Amino acid sequence: MLPAEQEKRDLLVAADRRSLWHPFADLAKWETEDPPVILSGEGVWLTDMSGHRMLDGTASLWVNLLGHRRPELDRALALQAGLIAHSTFLGATHDGAVLLGEKLLSLAPSGLSRVFYSDNGSTAVEIAMKLSYLASRHRRKKEGRSPPSRFFSLERGYHGDTLGAVGAGGIERFHAVFGPLVRPSVTAPAPDCFRCPMGLFRQDCGLACASVAVRLMEEHRDEIAAVILEPLLQAAGGMIVWPEGYLSRIAGAAKDLGLFLIADEVATGFGRTGTLFACEQEGVRPDFLLAGKALTGGYLPLAATLVTEEIFEAVREDPGVFYHGHSYTANPLACRVALAAMEVLEREPLLSAIPEKRAKMLEEWAPLTTHPNVANIRSLGLVAAFDLVGPEGRPLTDFSVMGRIRDLARREGLLIRPLGPTLYLIPPLSTTLSEGTLMARILRKATEEGLGTAIG
Ligand SMILES: *Cc1c(COP(=O)(O)O)cnc(C)c1O
């Protein structure tokens, strides 16, 4: 980089430190960090202002699906910008919203028949919470029962950062401090069979966790409007991959107990877990399906809450209006880009290519299986993760190694974001076999080097 360019970059970083506030940043540490200043992207590669190229190992925090500067998406965006960028969706409509809505309904599990747009995952959650409350209240009124007053969710669950979503959140570090502000859910342990909450082995752990959850659902049936969960993968909670059968067991119990099921597929949707939606893998048909993050291929903020006709009919009868909306509901630029992304997803054999890519990534990690500080290597779809552990597999206490590994990886050309003791890759689905392999190799080498000799 030329000295002038370097100076420009350093001034930017200094101004950022002085004037901005980054989400989920450790404020004391941030002052000493040297963040990449991203200038451009192409495919799964990012380039910073110094001209350093890095693989986008988190798909820009789980949103990017088809790579950066995807020609079909760029074109859709430019075409719409040439017509209109935004007009209100209150009392008016537009073709992008309609076409995308119909496309989403055709892709989603059967039974869903209406789409309510918003602009991020958290608001898609809020909408589902409010609507499930209204529909549940309506159902119970007919049965002569009193309305529900809360939700059922899982420990270590994550549904966004608005207060309703925080109430359904179960990540101690993020959510505990806001406890007094929210209505807490009825919660059951996450089925994390690596550290089984019941102290059992994998298959038994799944069954035992499901039994505990179902017992709690039965016990609190009268209070609960809906069960909200992240099907198959609790991503923010630590990339927890569920044991087979857990999802369908919970979904079945919810149905039997007359509780609505909200499948928060904000992170898992659009192929991340190997199928278009995670619910498909266990034949689950939720009452609500939430889409966000990758919906626009990772280009623009847009989310959707898909609901069944029963929900729509209930609210139509009472109160007749859903008093909820956002200034940018169904933004036309975002809808058009999302539609283009869905078309690429339908046209290209991205899902069928996942198993081979995943196998190659895991092959790169084979040497880690015997490393004394590495445990719980797991994968689902194109998501792959492992944990760092202390001596004799005890939980990690000193997390400074995580930052060290992140910095080493970055230097070698891979941008990642460790999650507690977990290191993971969520490559865009468009990642090639060799790019995926390279990501896994850089992460392994950075881990080995960062750990040095076994940590105590
Ligand atoms: C990221 C996420 C959300 C929140 O989405 P935002 O767009 O960040 O508000 C909700 N649910 C799940 C499962 C997520 O991973």
Side-chain angles (χ1 to χ4, degrees), residues 7 26 51 130 142 149 153 156 253 337 368 371 382 405 447:
E7 193 183 342
D26 180 321
K130 284 183 175 178
K142 286 186 176 164
S149 54
S153 60
R156 298 171 69 187
V337 172
L368 292 176
H371 196 293
L382 210 49
I405 293 169
T447 302

Side-chain angles (χ1 to χ4, degrees), residues 111-112 127-143 145 148 150-153 217 221 223-229 250-264 284-289 306-315:
L112 299 161
I127 288 159
M129 291 175 93
K130 284 183 175 178
L131 287 177
S132 67
Y133 167 75
L134 291 175
S136 172
R137 188 185 69 151
H138 184 261
R139 210 188 234 187
R140 284 162 200 233
K141 203 189 277 176
K142 286 186 176 164
E143 299 164 1
R145 296 163 61 203
R150 50 189 186 146
F151 295 88
F152 178 93
S153 60
M217 284 157 68
R221 176 175 176 248
E223 298 156 62
I224 299 169
V227 172
I228 178 164
L229 45 78
I250 302 294
K255 187 146 271 159
D256 293 345
L257 292 166
L259 309 174
F260 292 117
L261 179 67
I262 303 173
D264 180 352
V284 166
R285 293 169 50 180
D287 302 285
F288 294 81
L289 186 141
L306 276 58
V307 309
T308 62
E309 205 60 12
E310 181 193 347
I311 306 293
F312 181 79
E313 280 303 325
V315 177

